[in-house]
Amino acid sequence: MSAMSKIIPELSKLEPLDGNNYKRWSQKLLVFFEQLKVDYVLFNDPPKPVVPTDVETTPTAATVVKTTDDAIKKFEKDNKTARCHLLNHMTNILFDLFAPNKSAKVIWDSLESKYRLDDAGKKKYVVGKWLQFIMEDGKPIVINEEMKLCVVFLANVLLEKFPPSRSDYRKVLKHKKKDMSLQELIGHMRIEEANRLNKSSC
C-alpha cells in the first residue's frame, strides 16, 4: 500500500468541522495538504498570466509564457483539490456557507479569521471569569471551564477567593510545602465543605 493510500483513510476518520473543533481540524488538514504538496494555495494568490507584446517574440519570451501557463494550470488543479477537501470535511451548515467560494485560500482565511478570533475571545472570557470569581458561604463551587493554564496558578487564584469565614483554612492550605494542583485544591475544598455541613447538622 502506498504512503498516500494510507493517508487518505486516516483523513476519512477526521471529524467534520462544526465550529468547536477548528484547531485540531485545521492542523490535520494542513498536514494532509503538505503531504499532497498543495498547501501553498492556502497562502498565495494565483499566478497572473503573462501577455507578451508584439516585440516579445523571442524564444525566451515564449518560454516565460509557457512556464506561467503551466503554473496557472497547476495552481487551478491544486486549488480544486484543497477546496474539495476543505468543504468535504465540514458539517452541512458550514458546507452550505462556504461552498460558493471557489478559492481555497478565501475559505481558509475566512475560517482562520472566524475561529482563531473566537478561540482567543473564549480564553480571555475564561480568564476574566476566574479573576472576577468570588467565593461565598453557601454558594456552590462550580469549576467546569476547560483552559490550558498552569494548574498551580489556577489553584492559587482560587485559594485567594476564599471567603473571610474560611481564612483559617486558607492559611493551612497556603502553608503546605507542596504546591497543589487545581484538582487537589478542589478535593480539599469538597472535604472541608462536607465537614462543615456535618457539623452544622449535628
Side-chain angles (χ1 to χ4, degrees):
M1 184 181 288
S2 67
M4 188 53 61
S5 61
K6 290 180 181 178
I7 295 167
I8 293 175
E10 287 178 7
L11 193 66
S12 67
K13 299 175 184 177
L14 179 64
E15 292 182 10
L17 176 66
D18 61 8
N20 297 313
N21 57 343
Y22 176 73
K23 187 174 181 181
R24 180 176 289 120
W25 178 88
S26 61
Q27 289 173 344
K28 286 189 174 182
L29 269 181
L30 188 56
V31 169
F32 177 68
F33 290 152
E34 287 171 352
Q35 291 168 328
L36 287 183
K37 297 182 179 179
V38 301
D39 55 302
Y40 72 97
V41 303
L42 303 178
F43 310 106
N44 296 281
D45 293 323
K48 296 180 180 179
V50 174
V51 181
T53 62
D54 293 338
V55 178
E56 293 175 327
T57 56
T58 64
T60 303
T63 302
V64 170
V65 172
K66 176 70 167 60
T67 302
T68 304
D69 286 345
D70 289 345
I72 290 172
K73 289 176 182 177
K74 183 180 186 306
F75 190 97
E76 289 175 350
K77 179 177 178 292
D78 292 344
N79 175 71
K80 287 179 180 178
T81 299
R83 176 180 175 272
C84 174
H85 284 295
L86 285 171
L87 293 174
N88 283 334
H89 289 89
M90 294 181 180
T91 59
N92 289 337
I93 293 174
L94 291 177
F95 176 91
D96 293 340
L97 179 64
F98 288 100
N101 293 304
K102 301 303 180 185
S103 166
K105 182 178 185 299
V106 170
I107 295 173
W108 186 262
D109 287 347
S110 299
L111 292 171
E112 281 281 291
S113 176
K114 177 173 176 53
Y115 293 114
R116 288 289 185 194
L117 289 176
D118 281 358
D119 188 50
K122 287 176 185 175
K123 289 180 179 178
K124 291 175 183 176
Y125 172 73
V126 173
V127 169
K129 285 188 69 177
W130 267 99
L131 295 177
Q132 294 170 16
F133 175 74
I134 298 174
M135 195 183 303
E136 299 174 3
D137 289 322
K139 182 179 180 180
I141 302 164
V142 180
I143 308 295
N144 59 5
E145 300 291 352
E146 294 183 7
M147 185 172 177
K148 292 182 179 179
L149 287 177
C150 173
V151 290
V152 175
F153 166 76
L154 291 177
N156 282 287
V157 169
L158 190 58
L159 198 56
E160 292 301 321
K161 302 293 184 178
F162 275 34
S165 62
R166 300 191 188 186
S167 58
D168 291 340
Y169 182 59
R170 179 178 60 188
K171 287 178 184 177
V172 171
L173 294 177
K174 286 182 74 172
H175 285 88
K176 284 183 175 290
K177 292 183 178 179
K178 180 185 174 183
D179 286 331
M180 285 187 296
S181 70
L182 179 61
Q183 290 303 320
E184 289 171 334
L185 176 58
I186 292 173
H188 278 290
M189 291 166 61
R190 284 175 176 161
I191 293 170
E192 172 67 9
E193 196 167 3
N195 289 338
R196 282 171 174 262
L197 289 173
N198 287 333
K199 287 179 182 179
S200 63
S201 61
C202 293

